[in-house]
Each structure stands twice: as C-alpha cells, then as structure tokens.
Amino acid sequence: MNRGKYYLTTAIAYTSGKPHIGNTYEIILSDAIARYRRKQGYDVFFQTGTDEHGQKIEEKAKEAGVSPQEYVDSIAEVIKENYKLMNIDYDYFVRTTDDYHVKTVQKIFKKLYDQGDIYKGKYEGLYCTPCESFWTESQLVDGKCPDCGRPVVKATEEAYFFNLQKYAQRLIDHIESHPEFIQPESRKNEMINNFLKPGLQDLCVSRSTFKWGVPVDFDEKHVVYVWIDALSNYITSLGYDPDGNHGEKYKKYWPADVHVIGKDILRFHTIYWPIMLMALGEPLPKQVFGHPWLLVGDGKMSKSKGNVIYADELVHYFGVDAVRYFCLSEMPFAQDGTITWELMIERINSDLANVLGNLVNRTISMTNKYFDGVISNPQCIEAIDQGLIELALETPKKVEKKMDELRVGDAISEIFTLLKRCNKYIDETTPWTLAKEGKTERLSTVLYNLLESIRIAAVQLSAYLPETGEKILNSLNTQQRTFESCETFGNLECGIKVVEKPEILFARIDEKEMLEKIAADHAAPKQEEPKVEKKEEITFDDFSKLELKVGEVLSCEKHPKADRLLVSQIDCGNGDVRQIVSGIADHFTPEDMKGKKVIVVTNLKPAKLRGVESQGMILVGETSDNEKLALASCDLPKGSIVR
C-alpha cells in the first residue's frame, strides 16, 4: 500500500562536540515517527545531518590545533556513530560543508540580495558566541544570553540584513489559518505574541569577523550567517535550485511534512525559515514540531554543571531498546521530561521486564509446556475473551490517532495497555488450571488469544523498539508482521511452532547493585597530593603588601603572539577594568574563562608579556600532574577584598 510521500527532518546537530542523551532524544523520536510512517505504507524520506560552520567551530578548531574542516570531519563521524548505536534508520545525512550545499546557499543569498530582501548595513548590539546569536538589551535575562545563560559581548560590524518585517503579516496570516503549522499549541502562541506581533527586527545574515562559513561570493569580506546556512539544508539536499531547475527529490518530497526540532530553536524554524521560503517563492513546511527537553533531575544537561549523560553509557548499562523506550515513553507532549539513573532502572523493571518481557516469556513457555510449542486455535471461545480481542483490534487504531498528533509517548502507552491486559487475561483464565482439568481446547484457545495479542503488540512496537519487536515476532516464528495484518484478529498462523526457549528480552535490574556500579565507574580517579616546595617564611607585613580582589572576567582571547597566553579583561569593581595576561592557555580556553570570578593580585607592577601589557595576576592552583586549576567562583561581589 502506497499512501504517498512523507518528508521528515531533524534539526542538524551542531559539530561542537559529542551529543548527550538530551540531544540524541530528538533523533530517536524522529526515527520512531519515520519507522511508523514506513510501516503505514508511506514513501518516507528521513533526513538528518550536521551544522558545521560558525565562529564557535573556528575557535574550537584553533584550540585543538587543527583546521576547521578537520575538526568538523571528526565530530561528524562521532555523531554518525552515535546515531548508528541508537539504531537510527535515516535516509540521508546532510553536512553543511558539502559542496552542493555551499554553492546553493550562495545562490540563495544572491537571489535574496538581488530582489532587495537582503541589504547591507551595520550591526551594533550584543552577541553570544556559543549560541551564535545576536540579542537586544531587552531580550537578555539577568544581562546574559536568554538561551544559554552565558555572558554576551558588544559587537559592531558591517553586515547584511534580511528584511523580515516585509513578510511578517503574511506569516501571521499563515500561522493563524494553519493551526497545525506549529505544534504544540503553546509554542504557536509564544511565537505570535512574543515575536511577531511586537514587531520583528531585521535579521543579521552575514558576519565579517571570522572566516569559517559559506563565503558571500559577491563580497569576500563576509560569510553567510550560520542560521541562513543551516536552515537551507532542508531543501539543498533535495536538489533545490534558486533558478528553478529543481532536482527530482525536491519535486517529489517538498514541502516537508514535519520538521522535528528542539523548542529552543523554534523561533528560527517558525519565523526566519518560513520567511526565507516566502521570499524564495517556495511552499512552507506543513508542520514544525518543537519537542520539549529531556532534563537531568530538574535541570537542563550542561557540561559546566557536570550532569551530562551520554547515549553510549546508557546503552552500555541497559541496552539500545531500553534507552529508546525510556526516551520515547517518558517525554510528555508539551512539557519537559526527566531522566535519572533511578528512573531508568524503575521503568526497565516495571514496564520492560515485568509487563513485556515476563508476558512473552511465560506465554511461550506455556505453549511449549502444554502443546510442544505448536500453535493452534480450536476457537473454544468464552465471553471473557471478547474484551481482550476487542482491545487488540482497537490498539492499532488508537496508536495511529496518537501518532497523527505526534504524541509518541502516548502511542507507546496504548501498546502497553494491551500488554497489561494480556497479563490480566492470564490471571483471569488461569491456563495452568485449564491444563490440570484437561480442558485442552479451551487452553489452546486461551494461549492463541495471548500469542495473537502479543503479535499485534509486537508489530506496533517494532516502530519504537525495532530490535525487541523483531525478537518477539521471531520467537513466534510468524510471517504476519505488517500493519495490515493487525486489522483482523486471528492472522497468527496455526501449525507453526514457537521457539523452544524464549529469549529474556529484559532482565530485572538490582537497583542497589547497578547504582553502585555506575557510581564506581564514574568516580574520579584519586589524585595524588601535589608535592609542595616549601618556600621561605614571610611575615604578616610581607603578606599585607599584596592586594587581592575578586574580579569577573568580561572577555578573554588568545594572545596574538603566544599560544600559551590568554589575555583577559577583568572587572575588579568600582569601574576598575584591567587587562591581565596569564600563562594558562594549555588548560583553559577563552570560553572557559568568560564570566568566571577569579582572585586577582591588583597591586602587581604592570609588565609587558610578548608585547601585551598585563596589569595584575590571576591566582591558580597546581596539581601533581602540573594541571593548573582556576580558583572556584565565590559569592563575593566583584571588587571584594580577599584577606
């Protein structure tokens, strides 16, 4: 059955480092949707990829001592391996450094410029390097980036701008006349009320202070701003051509049926991207789904917080499908979900081991015990059977309804409702009693009803837990594995034999033992105490000569002539902003230093280090392996005297 095309994309992963499970959730979610649509009979094109340009990448490559291309090549492979580990079955992996993408982005930029939608100007404002985003003063939260909470810096540069206001009302009209365009509903209201109706500022779409980006081919000083570059991937990979000579894939699959993205980049996908498409004269995507975040405890995952959990370590302890199940089932439709080691263990034990694994194991074991594994259906029906049969037939319809709304967690819940009903059915019919009483035909019918219900559940489940679904169907030795086979009850073949010894799908986990193992694996290696060279004793008068103050690092950059030196601008309070050069670049990046509070020697005589004046010294510590550590931030306000 061919139900037509279905084009699904994820946001492309930024190549700044290894993705954590919160990042990986999106690709698991998208994979489940794509697998489900394929099983429905859609011609699915599922695209993901990597976003590889920008100032942050350029800086990270420099810190790593490699070219930006070498850096993104390595990270792209890490991301691909992560997706492979999670059994992601995508159709295409786009990279924004691909030649065809770069050339098409240049043509898009030129077309928008030629028709007057992009113009040259000057930008003066606040910029967040990690997010590669410009902000106004009113958009900041506590003076910092509203997305990541890091400090912003003042930026002034020549730039090209995209006239957003020209298309704003047209976009508002589209959103209001297409209620399905932005999901969930709360996200739509946020975009209209917080951004569109107050009035859009023209969007800065080029940069001239760094080089790692798609060059503006008619102005060599500029590179295309990362969002114009990244967003275009959804059409460049299909063969979109600004001159109208589109490739066959573009003609077939565009517009996208759904863009699956994180809620934090909703603005770019529901305002900037649609306006770009309007300016290009192309149809808008049918839907943008801004999924919630997967939090650790009550906070967003962050390397700086030390609470990051990676997919590969979860798989190491629990297996691929257990991780997929948790991510998909624990995420509410519109609210953030939570992941902890304890919650993982609880869900595996209660849902996967008990409800699913135990049901499959004991049903197959009883079929082997009482009928030598042979499936038969004498149809010795009783009234109690009807409830199970009706639920088995209703489940695929309920799942489809939830999936049409992208409520993936709710869809899985419907399948587990059927599995729980099967367990209850066993308690109601007591097959062991039927065997003891010699009611063979009734026993065979009961087991058939169970096996057929399990088959229907496994077929549905295979979109979300592909390995587990296949294992269950293989254990039944059935060929009936399509969604169409779930439309009637009784398609499980009679006369075939189940496997002699069912595989344990999910073993119960001893929580205490597992948590102890995880804690031991994550324990930091014990450090030797540093050997301290004893210095000559000094008097209090000697010490009192030092003036130590708390300073806040406003900005930091590499020394232009010395790789091991960092040049920091540090606010020591009361308007005292001083430049300090420190030999700590082997252990800290400029990004590590920004926003940190440090202890500063403020009455040290100024000195020039490799031609750059230093007006003080930052205090650091030193371990046995010579790794220098910045002193921890404190609650003291900047300018406080340290005694």
Side-chain angles (χ1 to χ4, degrees), residues 136-148:
T136 63
E137 193 76 43
S138 63
Q139 291 174 317
L140 301 181
V141 177
D142 296 328
K144 297 182 179 179
C145 173
D147 278 353
C148 71

Side-chain angles (χ1 to χ4, degrees), residues 16 83 176-177 182 209 218-219 232 301 345 348 364 401-402 406 474 500 514 617 626 642:
S16 57
Y83 293 175
E176 291 181 340
S177 62
I182 303 176
T209 53
F218 58 87
D219 191 338
S232 299
M301 285 187 209
I345 296 168
I348 291 170
I364 290 176
K401 185 176 185 300
K402 299 298 184 185
L406 298 181
N474 287 345
E500 290 184 13
M514 179 59 79
M617 179 181 293
N626 206 37
V642 179

Side-chain angles (χ1 to χ4, degrees), residues 276-347:
M276 276 180 62
L277 289 167
M278 287 177 177
L280 292 170
E282 299 301 320
L284 304 194
K286 296 178 183 177
Q287 189 172 75
V288 179
F289 176 53
H291 64 75
W293 286 333
L294 188 58
L295 307 177
V296 177
D298 59 356
K300 190 178 178 183
M301 285 187 209
S302 165
K303 289 181 181 179
S304 61
K305 292 180 181 178
N307 65 350
V308 173
I309 300 175
Y310 293 101
D312 54 357
E313 61 180 338
L314 286 168
V315 170
H316 170 71
Y317 294 115
F318 307 117
V320 173
D321 273 7
V323 178
R324 287 178 65 108
Y325 174 77
F326 185 91
C327 289
L328 295 172
S329 64
E330 279 299 304
M331 289 294 285
F333 178 66
Q335 288 80 42
D336 294 331
T338 301
I339 183 170
T340 65
W341 299 104
E342 291 84 356
L343 272 175
M344 275 288 304
I345 296 168
E346 179 187 332
R347 291 295 179 268

